[in-house]
Amino acid sequence: MITVDQRQFGRAVKFASSVVGKRSTIPVLTTVKASANGALHLDGTDLDTYARASLPYDGDEAEFLIQSPSQVAAAVKKAGAETVSFDRRDKELRVEAGELVADLSHTMHADDFPTMELIAEETFGALVDASLFRLLERVRPAISTEETRYYLNGIYVHAIGDGAYRFVATDGHRLFVADAALPGASGEIAEGVIIPRRAIEKVIGQFAKAESARFVLGRTVKSNQPDKTLAPSAHPSRAGFTAEIDGVRFELATKLIDGTFPDYTRVVPAEHKFAMRMARADLLKAIKTITPLSSDKTRALRLTALRDGLTLELQSPDFGKSRFPVAAEHDAPADFYIGLNAAYLLDAANAFTGETIEFGLDDPGAPVTITDPDDGGFKVVQMPIRV
Amino acid sequence: MITVDQRQFGRAVKFASSVVGKRSTIPVLTTVKASANGALHLDGTDLDTYARASLPYDGDEAEFLIQSPSQVAAAVKKAGAETVSFDRRDKELRVEAGELVADLSHTMHADDFPTMELIAEETFGALVDASLFRLLERVRPAISTEETRYYLNGIYVHAIGDGAYRFVATDGHRLFVADAALPGASGEIAEGVIIPRRAIEKVIGQFAKAESARFVLGRTVKSNQPDKTLAPSAHPSRAGFTAEIDGVRFELATKLIDGTFPDYTRVVPAEHKFAMRMARADLLKAIKTITPLSSDKTRALRLTALRDGLTLELQSPDFGKSRFPVAAEHDAPADFYIGLNAAYLLDAANAFTGETIEFGLDDPGAPVTITDPDDGGFKVVQMPIRV
């Protein structure tokens, strides 16, 4: 029998089960595997992402599966006790938490649970803080969900020199680019890697609360050719994130997307003819005020330069026409206009954090660059649409 | 052109559009009709429920439709201005709110909007306070959603003498009964009426915040035979609720369900062999702790009498077996047990408001009566299930 703190268990099982599907053609993948050996490891996986939470326990060595882990966590939380204990008994798992006694089915075999493909050998490692996870969250909206171009279904990370790294996502309609310095990183990112969206989302949810965490790239097995100059281990196959939060160690490892990220630099305009500068809050207010007045599919905002600012207009066959002004400084010619997808523009404006936002523009058919004059570390390129 | 307070307009249009469907085979039913004439009336209906909100306005008499009322309300709210104005112009409706200017399509004809079937002649009327709406909310969970027995799709209201009225709902598995005194009511409820669920839900949402409201029964047209002893108007065809909240008058009228509510008194046991009394919080904790440990369809709780209390047990083919004790006083024989649907028992325990709850029991096949020893005004009868 093993006993653990109920709150730690709740956080640990929530993390481990966050990568687990409720249904799977492989039933054991709906479970969380518990291994008590020095620490209690709770493991969950969908064979692409591996999540392990490790916490202290009292008791003997043990190994068992928690079938329906989310429901077990919900029940022991409601039971309201300080601790929860587990006792594996042949075809049953006895769970006790305060006055709750549950003899849960244990019909699957722990041996059938897949090996956790965690990172055994690092090719790159950096100590990071919450700012990296905020950065991932800023870039995330541009990740493509289109499966045919699978190499766009993640965030592309590559080194740009001087200990700085670039994080890029695009769905072909917009491109979000963020730069971060990772001081004291060990190893290097020789070629860029693509971290899949699912892992990014789990990581943002879990690690944003950590005071510090590690971001690593590496391989699941140790290289046994340590002295070869061009070791096959140089190119990582996994990305990982680890952090300890309130006594529980969280570790997430994900397969990298095996594909080539397109040369995004080709779509980033080097310079623009005109610039428009406005308060980000004004732009957000204008977008949010007029976008309700359209049906979903036709949300093309027309942005027109006026002498003393600009106006956002939205025309919808069902709703009619609405407009809202935005105070702006610009050097575009009178009556210059461009069409932009309202939802994408909203994502872009929300991804910035500063007070001011600047649009770089050329002509109505050319991509728009959106930047913050006070923060060179984040940039959006958005393709225009016809209006 | 007419101008109204933006906040009052927002609350009014939200109420009027709350009974309006987003899609309808009759397009004009997706709109809210505005009639400015003394007050600005905003009307919405699905031909069963009629909602009118009336608010003060400045300007001329006017009549127009607000197509997509929820979106218009969202846009003018985001515009953040104190007032909003409407100007009907041929095929367009100009809406201005602060810096927002919208020329909305006005392609439908206000004349096509159905006549609002509000109550013109009351057969019964009572001034009520928030306690009536809390009472409707307590009874609501037992309303049937099964369409074949349409006469169960509402709350049955009838007089029980001495100025008291009874509110009953049942879905055949459980019966919720609440009594309320409506002092100073005028007229009478000669036969019981059935108020449909949809209207009950709208009413609870809207009127629970009112300090006082009126509950009326009546007809949509005035009787022109006032001196006939048995006026055909004696039986109401509509129920209505009205209240004024912060300068806006809200009026909801609904068709009554045209059917015969079953004689529910036949299933209410007159007395029971045994009683079990427990803290409501303990029962709720026990139910909420063990119900996660089951798949949805097999949530049969087994309630067993122990010497010093009782235990709730749940057995599920997928999950196994769990149990949680509840401290209780009872006079049932040792090992007495009964099966109860967990979701229904949770609804019942939640519908009470006191500290203590009492079960009246006979044998495992007989209905259970659930009461609060300190509140005779509310009662649940729940059918057992086999365990």
Side-chain angles (χ1 to χ4, degrees):
Chain A
M1 191 176 84
I2 64 161
T3 302
V4 293
D5 179 82
Q6 185 264 120
R7 284 206 182 78
Q8 286 186 340
F9 171 75
R11 290 161 48 223
V13 78
K14 189 178 168 193
F15 176 68
S17 62
S18 72
V19 301
V20 167
K22 287 237 167 185
R23 290 206 173 73
S24 171
T25 46
I26 307 169
V28 79
L29 291 185
T30 64
T31 72
V32 160
K33 181 179 167 185
S35 323
N37 183 354
L40 176 65
H41 301 298
L42 297 181
D43 294 343
T45 182
D46 61 359
L47 299 182
D48 287 321
T49 315
Y50 295 83
R52 163 171 285 182
S54 306
L55 62 157
Y57 74 99
D58 284 331
D60 308 322
E61 288 191 9
E63 189 176 76
F64 53 88
L65 297 177
I66 303 176
Q67 301 179 192
S68 309
S70 305
Q71 287 97 320
V72 172
V76 301
K77 186 177 179 186
K78 287 288 178 193
E82 288 289 308
T83 61
V84 51
S85 68
F86 298 90
D87 194 7
R88 172 76 193 280
R89 302 174 171 189
D90 193 29
K91 292 282 181 201
E92 285 181 350
L93 176 69
R94 170 157 288 198
V95 180
E96 294 189 63
E99 295 181 293
L100 170 69
V101 180
D103 291 315
L104 302 178
S105 308
H106 195 295
T107 48
M108 295 185 231
H109 296 283
D111 295 345
D112 293 342
F113 196 86
T115 305
M116 287 295 282
E117 297 193 3
L118 301 170
I119 292 175
E121 184 182 74
E122 291 182 12
T123 61
F124 174 86
L127 201 65
V128 299
D129 62 16
S131 66
L132 179 73
F133 302 104
R134 284 199 298 270
L135 180 148
L136 294 176
E137 182 144 33
R138 290 174 78 178
V139 176
R140 170 170 61 156
I143 301 175
S144 173
T145 53
E146 194 197 313
E147 288 182 17
T148 48
R149 294 204 282 169
Y150 62 93
Y151 46 85
L152 299 183
N153 298 163
I155 290 181
Y156 177 64
V157 187
H158 69 117
I160 53 172
D162 289 336
Y165 297 85
R166 182 158 288 170
F167 297 78
V168 188
T170 182
D171 59 8
H173 305 293
R174 63 258 176 83
L175 173 81
F176 285 20
V177 182
D179 294 343
L182 299 178
S186 62
E188 60 179 42
I189 303 179
E191 296 171 53
V193 297
I194 310 170
I195 305 176
R197 182 167 46 94
R198 188 139 196 270
I200 296 286
E201 286 166 356
K202 300 299 168 200
V203 151
I204 291 169
Q206 185 63 33
F207 293 95
K209 293 158 247 160
E211 279 182 30
S212 76
R214 288 195 81 228
F215 164 43
V216 300
L217 299 173
R219 292 154 44 89
T220 54
V221 284
K222 283 198 167 43
S223 162
N224 49 13
Q225 301 165 297
D227 44 39
K228 274 216 175 180
T229 317
L230 286 168
S233 68
H235 197 67
S237 64
R238 296 285 185 283
F241 296 85
T242 56
E244 185 165 321
I245 306 174
D246 295 335
V248 181
R249 185 169 183 279
F250 298 98
E251 181 169 7
L252 186 132
T254 176
K255 285 185 183 164
L256 294 169
I257 293 178
D258 188 11
T260 306
F261 201 78
D263 179 11
Y264 68 89
T265 57
R266 290 188 305 132
V267 301
V268 180
E271 53 184 14
H272 287 286
K273 289 186 200 155
F274 323 117
M276 291 179 170
R277 190 178 281 210
M278 69 208 81
R280 196 166 65 92
D282 289 351
L283 177 66
L284 281 168
K285 183 177 178 179
I287 300 170
K288 288 180 183 170
T289 301
I290 64 173
T291 44
L293 299 173
S294 68
S295 34
D296 274 27
K297 288 180 187 168
T298 54
R299 286 192 178 175
L301 284 178
R302 182 187 167 113
L303 185 153
T304 307
L306 306 177
R307 216 180 332 178
D308 54 349
L310 55 93
T311 185
L312 289 190
E313 277 177 295
L314 188 57
Q315 186 147 15
S316 156
D318 299 345
F319 281 75
K321 201 161 134 182
S322 53
R323 63 173 194 266
F324 201 93
V326 180
E329 286 173 22
H330 69 85
D331 58 3
D335 298 329
F336 173 89
Y337 71 89
I338 191 166
L340 293 168
N341 178 297
Y344 295 165
L345 189 59
L346 186 64
D347 280 347
N350 276 326
F352 285 90
T353 55
E355 288 196 3
T356 310
I357 205 169
E358 187 172 298
F359 286 24
L361 299 153
D362 297 299
D363 62 69
V368 180
T369 306
I370 308 174
T371 52
D372 177 347
D374 303 317
D375 172 14
F378 185 69
K379 181 187 285 188
V380 169
V381 178
Q382 183 168 338
M383 297 306 292
I385 49 179
R386 214 172 289 177
V387 280
Chain B
M1 192 174 85
I2 63 162
T3 303
V4 294
D5 179 82
Q6 185 264 120
R7 285 206 182 77
Q8 286 186 341
F9 171 75
R11 291 160 48 225
V13 78
K14 188 178 168 194
F15 176 67
S17 61
S18 72
V19 300
V20 168
K22 287 236 170 189
R23 290 208 173 72
S24 170
T25 48
I26 307 169
V28 78
L29 292 184
T30 64
T31 73
V32 160
K33 180 178 168 185
S35 322
N37 183 353
L40 176 66
H41 301 298
L42 297 181
D43 294 343
T45 182
D46 62 359
L47 298 183
D48 286 322
T49 316
Y50 294 83
R52 163 171 285 182
S54 307
L55 62 156
Y57 74 100
D58 285 330
D60 308 322
E61 290 192 5
E63 190 176 76
F64 54 88
L65 297 176
I66 303 176
Q67 301 179 194
S68 309
S70 306
Q71 286 98 322
V72 172
V76 302
K77 186 177 178 186
K78 286 289 178 193
E82 287 290 307
T83 61
V84 52
S85 69
F86 298 90
D87 193 6
R88 171 76 193 281
R89 302 171 171 192
D90 192 28
K91 292 281 180 201
E92 286 180 348
L93 176 69
R94 169 157 288 197
V95 180
E96 294 189 65
E99 295 182 291
L100 169 69
V101 181
D103 291 314
L104 301 178
S105 308
H106 195 295
T107 48
M108 295 185 232
H109 296 282
D111 295 345
D112 292 342
F113 196 87
T115 304
M116 287 295 283
E117 297 193 4
L118 301 170
I119 292 175
E121 185 181 75
E122 291 182 13
T123 61
F124 175 85
L127 201 65
V128 300
D129 62 18
S131 66
L132 179 72
F133 301 104
R134 285 199 297 271
L135 179 149
L136 294 176
E137 184 144 32
R138 292 174 76 178
V139 176
R140 171 170 59 155
I143 301 175
S144 173
T145 52
E146 193 197 314
E147 288 182 17
T148 47
R149 294 204 282 170
Y150 62 92
Y151 47 85
L152 298 183
N153 297 162
I155 292 182
Y156 177 63
V157 187
H158 68 117
I160 53 172
D162 290 335
Y165 298 85
R166 182 158 288 172
F167 298 77
V168 187
T170 182
D171 60 7
H173 306 292
R174 63 261 177 81
L175 173 81
F176 285 21
V177 182
D179 295 343
L182 300 178
S186 63
E188 60 179 42
I189 302 180
E191 296 171 53
V193 296
I194 310 170
I195 305 175
R197 182 167 45 93
R198 187 136 196 272
I200 296 284
E201 286 166 357
K202 300 300 167 195
V203 151
I204 291 168
Q206 185 63 34
F207 294 95
K209 294 156 249 163
E211 279 182 29
S212 77
R214 289 196 80 228
F215 164 42
V216 300
L217 298 173
R219 293 155 42 92
T220 55
V221 286
K222 282 199 164 50
S223 163
N224 50 13
Q225 301 166 299
D227 44 40
K228 274 215 173 180
T229 317
L230 285 167
S233 68
H235 197 65
S237 63
R238 296 286 184 283
F241 297 85
T242 56
E244 185 166 320
I245 306 174
D246 295 334
V248 181
R249 185 169 184 278
F250 298 97
E251 181 169 6
L252 185 134
T254 176
K255 285 183 185 166
L256 294 168
I257 292 178
D258 188 13
T260 306
F261 201 80
D263 179 11
Y264 68 90
T265 57
R266 289 186 305 134
V267 301
V268 180
E271 54 185 14
H272 288 286
K273 288 185 199 155
F274 322 118
M276 291 180 168
R277 190 178 282 211
M278 68 209 80
R280 196 168 65 92
D282 289 351
L283 178 66
L284 280 168
K285 183 177 179 180
I287 300 169
K288 288 179 184 173
T289 302
I290 64 172
T291 44
L293 299 172
S294 67
S295 35
D296 275 25
K297 288 181 185 166
T298 53
R299 287 191 175 176
L301 284 177
R302 182 186 165 114
L303 187 153
T304 307
L306 307 176
R307 216 183 331 179
D308 54 350
L310 56 95
T311 186
L312 288 192
E313 275 177 296
L314 188 58
Q315 187 148 15
S316 155
D318 299 344
F319 281 74
K321 200 162 134 181
S322 53
R323 64 174 194 266
F324 201 94
V326 179
E329 288 174 18
H330 68 85
D331 57 3
D335 299 327
F336 173 89
Y337 71 91
I338 190 165
L340 293 168
N341 177 299
Y344 296 164
L345 190 59
L346 186 63
D347 281 346
N350 277 325
F352 285 89
T353 55
E355 289 195 3
T356 311
I357 205 168
E358 189 172 296
F359 286 23
L361 300 151
D362 297 300
D363 63 69
V368 180
T369 305
I370 308 173
T371 51
D372 176 349
D374 303 316
D375 172 14
F378 185 70
K379 180 187 285 187
V380 168
V381 179
Q382 182 168 340
M383 298 304 293
I385 49 181
R386 216 172 287 176
V387 279

